[in-house]
Amino acid sequence: MFSEEFNKVNVLRKVPVLKDGDFTLEESTAILLYLTRKYNTPSHWYPPDMKKRARVDEYLAWQHTNIRTTASKILWLKVPQEKVQDAMEDLNLSLQKLEEKFLQEKPFIIGNEISLADLVAVVELMQPMGAGCDVLEGRPKLQEWRKRVEVTLGKELFAEAHARILNPQELRSISVDPPLKAQMKPAILKMLK
Amino acid sequence: MFSEEFNKVNVLRKVPVLKDGDFTLEESTAILLYLTRKYNTPSHWYPPDMKKRARVDEYLAWQHTNIRTTASKILWLKVPQEKVQDAMEDLNLSLQKLEEKFLQEKPFIIGNEISLADLVAVVELMQPMGAGCDVLEGRPKLQEWRKRVEVTLGKELFAEAHARILNPQELRSISVDPPLKAQMKPAILKMLK
């Protein structure tokens, strides 16, 4: 499934991978943090304020075992048909936490400005949406937030970054041509500017 | 299981929780990062060097869905007896990655100095050890590393932080008195000094 060359840089056999000269980095959240430092992106992505920064860290840590697991399970069709219902319930609980604990009444997860937390959250939610599953249905607050993120990033960039995921033709070919997220990375880097 | 007062500060119903005045923070990795910033701990814990810092981030991100999940599953006895074998195999794969990808031939995960990555890794491994399961058996390289971490932190502090986990009497009472990690936090903070 993975080319030999790709496996060389991807010891954990997971996408995405960043390769910067001799330096190879895995784990999407670590890559995003590295990109914000290396390219000195606007500070709202990972604010210097200690408490705001802690809120971004808190979200990034939380999502690993919550939204990230369930949302991608559904997309990658790793869930047997009879367990889709359970996976959807897990995802619903995660969405409820995203709404009630993280977003609350604020425009973005950590307050008035967009941060890495919103970016990571949106990317995960677009995964089940790519599988034709509108996970935000019946959640107007999260829908508004998603639109706000889209507008802030720029609609064109947002569409570009998600084009592959929202295109079911490409989706079907995932198992033969997998480094989907790796291919999305240039667009994500553009977003951070 | 959780007291009402604890639930008030712990919306996600998970331990640990940090409460700093009005500011409440969850997720152990986010808490450790906050503590290093707030108390301006020695820089080796989370080095300013961009690539070293990225390696800490990479480990912290990776462990959420690897060592952390399997090791604590085994400790909290969430695994039905017939699935302990599978859980142990998952843990073994994680330990292999810890050894081959993260530690390699270095004294500590990111190089010559101890960092948050080592601290988080050791704490997770002590969990199954608390349940009487020496997960490092047959892995001399990881055993050496564990000893190195223990010596660097100071044997007394190390023992203090793990006393509750290594005491089976306390272990049995976990389900009635659960904020175990929260109680370990003062000792962990001392370690970071």
Side-chain angles (χ1 to χ4, degrees):
Chain A
M1 259 172 61
F2 292 94
S3 76
E4 210 173 309
E5 197 185 344
F6 185 75
N7 279 337
K8 265 185 217 153
V9 290
N10 190 229
V11 185
L12 297 180
R13 296 223 180 181
K14 280 164 49 183
V15 283
V17 173
L18 174 101
K19 209 167 172 334
D20 185 9
D22 282 346
F23 185 68
T24 302
L25 187 65
E26 300 180 32
E27 295 297 335
S28 53
T29 53
I31 289 171
L32 285 171
L33 289 167
Y34 181 81
L35 293 175
T36 58
R37 289 173 196 132
K38 165 130 189 174
Y39 296 99
N40 204 9
T41 56
S43 67
H44 61 83
W45 289 112
Y46 194 57
D49 175 84
M50 211 185 295
K51 289 177 184 175
K52 285 188 182 167
R53 182 162 287 198
R55 287 275 167 258
V56 178
D57 291 334
E58 184 184 45
Y59 180 79
L60 294 183
W62 176 80
Q63 56 88 37
H64 282 292
T65 47
N66 289 279
I67 284 185
R68 187 184 148 199
T69 337
T70 34
S72 47
K73 257 193 209 158
I74 292 169
L75 170 72
W76 303 103
L77 310 171
K78 278 183 189 158
V79 183
Q81 198 55 42
E82 67 275 17
K83 290 199 171 155
V84 167
Q85 193 59 34
D86 291 350
M88 288 302 296
E89 272 164 34
D90 284 348
L91 183 59
N92 255 321
L93 278 178
S94 290
L95 290 174
Q96 195 186 332
K97 291 263 164 76
L98 174 62
E99 188 171 320
E100 293 173 9
K101 154 145 179 99
F102 290 102
L103 189 60
Q104 297 168 351
E105 305 300 325
K106 297 165 279 156
F108 297 103
I109 291 175
I110 65 159
N112 290 323
E113 288 191 286
I114 194 168
S115 75
L116 290 185
D118 303 283
L119 191 61
V120 168
V122 142
V123 169
E124 293 303 329
L125 293 181
M126 296 309 279
Q127 295 202 2
M129 291 178 99
C133 168
D134 183 6
V135 293
L136 298 186
E137 210 187 324
R139 297 196 176 274
K141 218 191 269 181
L142 288 182
Q143 285 172 351
E144 287 303 312
W145 160 79
R146 198 199 68 85
K147 275 184 216 153
R148 216 174 287 128
V149 172
E150 185 175 341
V151 169
T152 309
L153 292 171
K155 284 206 173 197
E156 279 177 36
L157 260 174
F158 192 81
E160 189 185 330
H162 292 105
R164 287 180 159 270
I165 261 183
L166 296 177
N167 178 342
Q169 196 63 37
E170 300 249 13
L171 200 68
R172 251 173 269 138
S173 68
I174 278 173
S175 57
V176 280
D177 177 33
L180 175 83
K181 277 190 174 176
Q183 288 162 9
M184 284 166 55
K185 216 156 30 72
I188 288 177
L189 185 53
K190 260 202 266 176
M191 281 186 189
L192 289 176
K193 281 197 176 142
Chain B
M1 261 172 57
F2 293 93
S3 76
E4 209 171 312
E5 197 184 344
F6 184 75
N7 280 337
K8 264 186 216 153
V9 290
N10 190 231
V11 185
L12 298 179
R13 297 218 180 185
K14 280 162 51 180
V15 285
V17 173
L18 174 102
K19 209 165 171 337
D20 183 11
D22 282 346
F23 184 68
T24 302
L25 186 64
E26 300 181 33
E27 296 296 334
S28 53
T29 54
I31 290 171
L32 285 171
L33 289 167
Y34 181 80
L35 293 174
T36 59
R37 289 173 197 132
K38 167 132 188 174
Y39 296 98
N40 204 10
T41 56
S43 67
H44 62 82
W45 290 111
Y46 194 57
D49 174 83
M50 210 185 293
K51 288 176 187 177
K52 285 187 181 167
R53 182 161 288 197
R55 286 276 168 258
V56 179
D57 291 334
E58 184 184 45
Y59 181 79
L60 295 183
W62 176 79
Q63 55 88 35
H64 282 291
T65 47
N66 289 279
I67 285 185
R68 188 185 149 199
T69 337
T70 34
S72 48
K73 256 191 210 161
I74 293 168
L75 171 72
W76 303 104
L77 309 172
K78 277 183 188 160
V79 183
Q81 199 56 40
E82 69 273 18
K83 291 203 172 153
V84 167
Q85 193 59 32
D86 291 350
M88 288 302 295
E89 273 165 34
D90 284 349
L91 183 58
N92 254 322
L93 277 177
S94 290
L95 291 174
Q96 195 185 332
K97 291 265 163 76
L98 173 62
E99 188 172 321
E100 294 173 9
K101 155 146 178 101
F102 290 103
L103 188 60
Q104 299 168 347
E105 305 301 325
K106 297 165 275 147
F108 297 103
I109 292 177
I110 63 158
N112 291 322
E113 287 191 287
I114 193 168
S115 74
L116 291 185
D118 303 284
L119 190 61
V120 168
V122 143
V123 170
E124 293 304 328
L125 294 181
M126 296 308 280
Q127 295 202 1
M129 290 177 99
C133 168
D134 182 4
V135 293
L136 297 188
E137 210 186 325
R139 296 195 176 275
K141 217 190 268 179
L142 288 182
Q143 285 172 351
E144 286 304 311
W145 160 81
R146 197 200 69 85
K147 273 184 219 153
R148 215 174 287 129
V149 172
E150 186 175 341
V151 168
T152 309
L153 292 171
K155 283 204 174 201
E156 278 177 37
L157 261 174
F158 192 81
E160 188 185 328
H162 292 105
R164 289 181 158 268
I165 262 186
L166 297 177
N167 179 341
Q169 197 62 39
E170 299 249 13
L171 201 67
R172 250 173 268 137
S173 67
I174 277 174
S175 58
V176 282
D177 178 31
L180 176 83
K181 279 191 175 177
Q183 288 163 8
M184 284 166 53
K185 215 154 32 67
I188 288 177
L189 185 53
K190 260 202 265 174
M191 281 188 188
L192 289 177
K193 281 198 176 137

